[in-house]
């Protein structure tokens, strides 16, 4: 399948500012289709949901449309799509809810590969419940999270396994189906952080075996909205804190207060945008998403190979992570410069990158990087092109030359 990156880039007004946007792992730019969808929602008039008048019905329709879009993106059930401000907020909410049933002797498994948003909510909830936390370790020579270790970490007392579908700094994609299968066999639930993975691969929550799958639209060209996808039957067994008059239905009872209806229109538009990136031809939106994201993955991996090749040719650059399966996310240090100095220099060359732990708190700790400013992250997404990679490499050559 062809991938026309010039056409993709033309849809993003922000890219016209001349910067190489290699900061997508922290949040992507937004295509005009998403900006227009949000504007159109406001222009057409939005009331609060649940009323008798058309502007209110439009708000309800935007919410329903967003649930369907996120379900299509992830292979989930729209009736199990919980919407919220971001992944962190939703994860704290789910952790607080699930931990109501935990007690001393119960166990929770988290990983050192994960972003802290899929670690600390579980650790803190476990501590409050008196439950035990077990840690899955990273092989720091490769950046892999070996799935084989879970057999020894799980027991009949394990209640939950939290694991990422992709590291937001090393890009490592663990064998999630193997980990969730082991969790299920032990009678535990799995909570998969899909925030970093979702923009880079076709996602199928059933194939991943995830009981819960979390994602954030602002990482895949949408507005700042988070979502957790779960089976409605599972959600119906859970009872989060909620206001007395707010809906007790699924998934509404997991959502707090009034949602940003216009942004939900933007999320739907972002999903439609992803569905056409690889020019996938006809089919349902789900089918187009699977084909389009496969084209995105192939395109990004080719570009990533060029980036890694270039970095490997620089003697003063050290890269971290070489997992067999990775998102196009490079994490590196430059001898003689702090990561922050590198990021500042690159900004002066119109290259946007991040420096620091990027909330991969445990991982940067075990890598021995966190105490010295961690590293520089340059991440590719579907709108990056060869000129972005070349600009980064040229600027690094200038810095180290
Ligand atoms: C892998 C990963 N998980 C979780 C988060 C937190 O997401 P949010 O900002 O939606 O809370 C991020 C954000 O950078 C992330 O990269």
């Amino acid at each position: 399948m062809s991938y026309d990156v010039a056409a993709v880039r033309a849809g993003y007004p922000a890219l016209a500012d001349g910067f190489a946007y290699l900061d997508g792992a922290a949040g992507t730019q937004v295509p005009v289709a998403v900006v227009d969808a949000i504007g159109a929602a406001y222009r057409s008039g939005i009331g609060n949901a649940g009323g008798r008048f058309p502007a209110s019905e439009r708000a309800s329709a935007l919410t329903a449309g967003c649930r369907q879009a996120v379900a299509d993106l992830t292979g989930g059930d729209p009736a199990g799509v919980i919407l919220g401000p971001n992944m962190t907020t939703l994860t704290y909410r789910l952790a607080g809810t699930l931990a109501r049933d935990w007690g001393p002797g119960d166990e929770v498994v988290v990983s050192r590969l994960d972003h802290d948003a899929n670690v600390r909510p579980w650790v803190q909830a476990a501590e409050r419940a008196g439950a035990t936390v077990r840690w899955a370790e990273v092989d720091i020579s490769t950046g892999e999270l070996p799935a084989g270790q879970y057999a020894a970490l799980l027991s009949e007392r394990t209640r939950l396994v939290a694991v990422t579908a992709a590291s937001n700094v090393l890009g490592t994609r663990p064998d999630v189906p193997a980990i969730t299968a082991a969790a299920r066999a032990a009678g535990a639930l799995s909570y998969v952080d899909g925030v970093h993975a979702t923009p880079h691969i076709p996602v199928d929550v059933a194939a991943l075996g995830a009981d819960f799958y979390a994602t954030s639209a602002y990482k895949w060209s949408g507005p700042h909205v988070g979502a957790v996808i779960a089976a409605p039957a599972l959600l119906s067994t859970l009872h989060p804190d909620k206001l007395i008059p707010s809906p007790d239905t699924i998934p509404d009872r997991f959502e707090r207060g009034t949602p940003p209806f216009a942004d939900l229109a933007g999320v739907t538009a972002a999903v439609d945008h992803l569905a056409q990136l690889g020019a996938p031809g006809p089919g349902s939106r789900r089918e187009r998403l699977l084909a389009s994201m496969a084209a995105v993955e192939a395109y990004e991996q080719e570009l990533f190979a060029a980036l890694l090749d270039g970095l490997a040719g620089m003697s003063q650059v050290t890269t971290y992570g070489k997992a067999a399966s990775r998102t196009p996310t490079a994490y590196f240090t430059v001898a003689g410069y702090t990561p922050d100095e590198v990021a500042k220099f690159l900004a002066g060359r119109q290259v946007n990158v991040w420096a620091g732990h990027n909330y991969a708190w445990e991982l940067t700790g075990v890598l021995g990087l966190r105490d010295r400013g961690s590293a520089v992250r340059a991440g590719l997404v579907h709108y990056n092109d060869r000129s972005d990679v070349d600009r980064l490499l040229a600027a690094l050559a200038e810095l180290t030359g």
Side-chain angles (χ1 to χ4, degrees):
M1 189 183 299
S2 67
Y3 191 82
D4 185 351
V5 70
V8 169
R9 290 175 67 83
Y12 284 81
L15 301 183
D17 72 0
F19 279 74
Y21 280 83
L22 301 177
D23 62 328
T28 42
Q29 300 309 304
V30 170
V32 76
V34 169
V35 178
D36 285 352
I38 295 171
Y42 279 125
R43 271 194 298 273
S44 65
I46 310 174
N48 209 333
R52 295 290 190 189
F53 51 94
S56 171
E57 286 162 4
R58 281 198 288 276
S60 303
L62 291 177
T63 308
C66 182
R67 291 197 211 286
Q68 184 63 60
V70 173
D72 284 351
L73 179 64
T74 56
D77 181 335
V81 174
I82 304 166
L83 300 168
N86 48 55
M87 180 273 187
T88 305
T89 302
L90 288 172
T91 303
Y92 265 113
R93 197 173 299 166
L94 267 305
T97 304
L98 288 163
R100 287 175 166 200
D101 297 338
W102 301 348
D106 285 337
E107 296 175 3
V108 175
V109 181
V110 293
S111 102
R112 298 218 198 267
L113 188 69
D114 275 74
H115 185 288
D116 212 49
N118 202 31
V119 175
R120 222 52 58 188
W122 306 112
V123 169
Q124 291 163 353
E127 277 168 5
R128 260 193 302 277
T132 303
V133 176
R134 300 207 178 282
W135 291 89
E137 302 292 344
V138 175
D139 176 345
I140 58 170
S141 66
T142 59
E144 299 278 10
L145 181 74
Q149 68 185 304
Y150 279 84
L153 290 168
L154 292 159
S155 77
E156 74 283 356
R157 297 307 304 265
T158 313
R159 306 301 304 273
L160 183 109
V161 175
V163 68
T164 193
S167 157
N168 66 316
V169 292
L170 300 185
T172 307
R173 290 177 54 200
D175 187 350
V176 172
I179 295 167
T180 57
R184 196 169 319 108
L189 293 170
S190 58
Y191 192 99
V192 176
D193 178 358
V195 173
H196 187 68
T198 310
H200 303 295
I201 54 168
V203 174
D204 184 343
V205 288
L208 288 169
D211 289 309
F212 299 92
Y213 182 87
T215 186
S216 263
Y218 76 96
K219 308 285 193 180
W220 35 266
S221 303
H224 291 87
V225 173
V228 169
I229 299 94
L234 171 58
L235 294 180
S236 68
T237 66
L238 301 175
H239 297 277
D241 282 339
K242 64 176 280 299
L243 305 182
I244 289 176
S246 66
D248 197 28
T249 45
I250 303 296
D252 313 60
R253 73 166 172 242
F254 292 86
E255 297 170 348
R256 290 186 178 159
T258 308
F261 296 113
D263 281 352
L264 301 189
V267 174
T268 303
V271 171
D272 287 331
H273 175 74
L274 295 181
Q276 53 79 54
L277 285 175
S284 69
R285 182 167 57 188
R286 173 71 182 151
E287 288 164 347
R288 285 182 285 117
L289 279 160
L290 289 174
S292 181
M293 293 309 292
V296 164
E297 183 179 7
Y299 170 74
E300 289 181 355
Q301 286 297 326
E302 200 179 316
L303 201 55
F304 188 44
L307 171 57
L308 289 181
D309 244 25
L311 293 175
M314 297 183 178
S315 59
Q316 292 170 65
V317 170
T318 304
T319 56
Y320 298 88
K322 49 179 181 188
S325 179
R326 292 174 78 178
T327 60
T329 317
Y331 203 47
F332 61 92
T333 50
V334 180
Y337 299 94
T338 67
D340 190 56
E341 285 167 347
V342 177
K344 192 170 172 213
F345 179 85
L346 292 175
R349 299 296 179 274
Q350 297 201 309
V351 178
N352 297 346
V353 297
W354 278 93
H357 52 66
N358 296 299
Y359 286 34
W361 185 256
E362 298 290 334
L363 180 59
T364 50
V366 293
L367 287 171
L369 292 171
R370 203 175 63 217
D371 291 341
R372 43 194 178 102
S374 295
V376 178
R377 180 178 65 185
L380 304 175
V381 291
H382 57 260
Y383 53 64
N384 291 121
D385 65 4
R386 187 60 200 239
S387 75
D388 294 332
V389 170
D390 289 347
R391 180 122 44 104
L392 170 67
L393 295 174
L396 288 173
E398 184 188 346
L399 178 67
T400 57

